[in-house]
Amino acid sequence: RDPYYDGTRIFDRFYTLDQLIAVFLVQMKAQAEAVMGEACDDVVMGRPVKFSDEAHVNVRAEEILYKGARLAGFKHITFAEEPLGVTYLEHIRSPKRELVFVFDFGGGTLDLTLAEIGGDTPPNVIATRGVLLGGDDLDKRIMQYLQKYFGKDVVIGREKIPFPYDMLELLESWQTMPELSKPQYMQRIKEFQEKPLPTRIRKILSAVETLAKENLGYSLFRQIENAKRDLSTHDSTQLRFIHGDIQIDETLTRDRFERLIEGDVQKAREGIELLLRDVNISADKIDVALRTGGSSLVPAFAKLLADVFGEHKLRSLD
């Protein structure tokens, strides 16, 4: 969804985003052809209901997917919104007609669908809505909480210089953390380190330097994601990430996590309410509230759906 992201350099080669997508699609196409025993030239590609609130970003994103499919060798390419797959899967499993609300919450997007499904009549999709929220955003909230290990609220030297906000922003995702290794940021850290500093502040600066130079962002976010998953089934978890001067050993409770993501839960609630309002259907008319996607397992979102539709209507789909 980032309109400024063009691609990634891997060793000595720069891959555009459509080339990266094609790497995966080439493998999928080859495996499909091996299973079917014939050429596979047609593809229906799932896409989020909404990549962005900006129309041109939505168009650009679908064009990139299209180019990736062309590079992979597909000749006839069409698109379908991702929740339709879930809706049709539930349709063929449902012997009776039902009005279903689908809450499809993955790592990158939250897609909402209202549809009539089941029985002998084809499914009727009444409405869809995309909410710009994903499991990655929940990881980001935990990382924002952990920024205290990397300079948040720290003041440096006798001048009491606040740790730069733009550097803290780069810490919010593993994709942007490597930016900190660029000369302009390393120079700022070096200048800070040359000032008279308490041992605690010196260790924090060293932790930032280690995180950037040794490219540990992805490893740290894997630990964050594991902690998030643990909190779906446990009241607390231990988040440990020890590497040189990076000494994170944090007990994270479900209660604290739910306070960190309060704004995200509210954003999901508003999306549900807007979709129901758009079609003038009240929550009590819904027969089934179907949740799917890894992030839908987060208890705060299960509670949200129970509050809106009633717990007896909730159904999970793997």
Side-chain angles (χ1 to χ4, degrees):
R1 71 175 66 158
D2 182 353
Y4 305 106
Y5 177 72
D6 294 319
T8 295
R9 180 168 296 281
I10 302 174
F11 300 113
D12 61 344
R13 179 177 170 186
F14 184 85
Y15 291 81
T16 61
L17 188 48
D18 50 295
Q19 288 172 336
L20 288 169
I21 291 167
V23 169
F24 290 94
L25 293 183
V26 164
Q27 298 295 322
M28 293 176 66
K29 184 175 187 294
Q31 290 185 40
E33 290 175 340
V35 170
M36 302 301 291
E38 59 182 283
C40 178
D41 294 328
D42 297 8
V43 64
V44 180
M45 298 187 71
R47 54 148 293 172
V49 172
K50 181 167 69 171
F51 285 98
S52 167
D53 287 325
E54 302 292 332
H56 71 279
V57 176
N58 275 305
V59 171
R60 174 184 181 270
E62 190 167 284
E63 285 176 349
I64 289 169
L65 289 173
Y66 182 88
K67 287 165 67 179
R70 291 288 292 181
L71 285 172
F74 289 107
K75 297 177 181 176
H76 307 109
I77 302 152
T78 52
F79 291 91
E81 292 178 347
E82 286 170 7
L84 299 185
V86 179
T87 304
Y88 274 76
L89 180 60
E90 189 65 10
H91 167 72
I92 62 176
R93 295 177 175 182
S94 302
K96 65 175 183 177
R97 200 70 172 169
E98 294 176 311
L99 183 59
V100 173
F101 186 91
V102 182
F103 185 86
D104 186 355
F105 192 17
T109 54
L110 170 58
D111 290 326
L112 310 174
T113 305
L114 188 64
E116 295 173 323
I117 65 166
D120 298 327
T121 310
N124 173 34
V125 175
I126 298 169
T128 60
R129 187 177 189 89
V131 180
L132 297 181
L133 178 67
D136 291 346
D137 294 298
L138 311 185
D139 297 341
K140 181 179 176 179
R141 304 295 170 241
I142 297 176
M143 185 60 215
Q144 287 169 336
Y145 173 68
L146 296 177
Q147 283 179 348
K148 60 187 179 181
Y149 291 93
F150 300 103
K152 186 177 181 181
D153 298 327
V154 162
V155 290
I156 297 160
R158 296 189 184 93
E159 306 94 330
K160 297 193 179 300
I161 303 168
F163 190 86
Y165 180 74
D166 59 328
M167 293 175 70
L168 287 173
E169 272 194 319
L170 293 175
L171 290 168
E172 291 183 353
S173 76
W174 64 265
Q175 295 96 327
T176 56
M177 278 184 185
E179 293 286 307
L180 286 170
S181 64
K182 288 185 174 179
Q184 65 264 36
Y185 298 116
M186 287 291 101
Q187 181 61 32
R188 286 161 85 177
I189 292 173
K190 184 179 177 182
E191 289 169 1
F192 290 151
Q193 289 170 331
E194 289 171 352
K195 296 179 181 295
L197 299 170
T199 302
R200 184 182 73 86
I201 305 297
R202 198 168 290 283
K203 284 186 174 181
I204 285 174
L205 292 173
S206 179
V208 177
E209 188 176 28
T210 300
L211 188 69
K213 282 187 173 179
E214 300 191 24
N215 201 15
L216 297 172
Y218 182 71
S219 300
L220 175 55
F221 266 82
R222 286 296 297 271
Q223 293 299 104
I224 288 171
E225 187 175 15
N226 288 339
K228 178 184 70 176
R229 289 180 178 179
D230 284 348
L231 291 175
S232 291
T233 52
H234 299 88
D235 290 332
S236 67
T237 188
Q238 202 68 20
L239 201 164
R240 296 184 79 251
F241 191 78
I242 311 296
H243 200 292
D245 280 325
I246 302 174
Q247 298 285 317
I248 300 174
D249 192 358
E250 186 84 23
T251 300
L252 191 63
T253 65
R254 183 185 294 178
D255 180 64
R256 178 173 291 281
F257 175 54
E258 290 184 348
R259 278 184 276 133
L260 293 173
I261 64 170
E262 278 178 351
D264 301 304
V265 175
Q266 181 59 29
K267 192 173 184 179
R269 180 185 290 275
E270 289 168 0
I272 294 170
E273 291 172 349
L274 284 169
L275 179 61
L276 294 175
R277 195 181 308 152
D278 286 347
V279 294
N280 197 27
I281 293 176
S282 60
D284 62 302
K285 302 296 183 186
I286 306 298
D287 298 311
V288 176
L290 182 66
R291 62 188 180 114
T292 187
S295 300
S296 72
L297 299 173
V298 174
F301 291 95
K303 183 178 183 300
L304 164 63
L305 293 172
D307 288 346
V308 175
F309 299 106
E311 193 163 358
H312 65 289
K313 293 182 181 180
L314 298 192
R315 190 184 300 169
S316 293
L317 177 66
D318 185 355

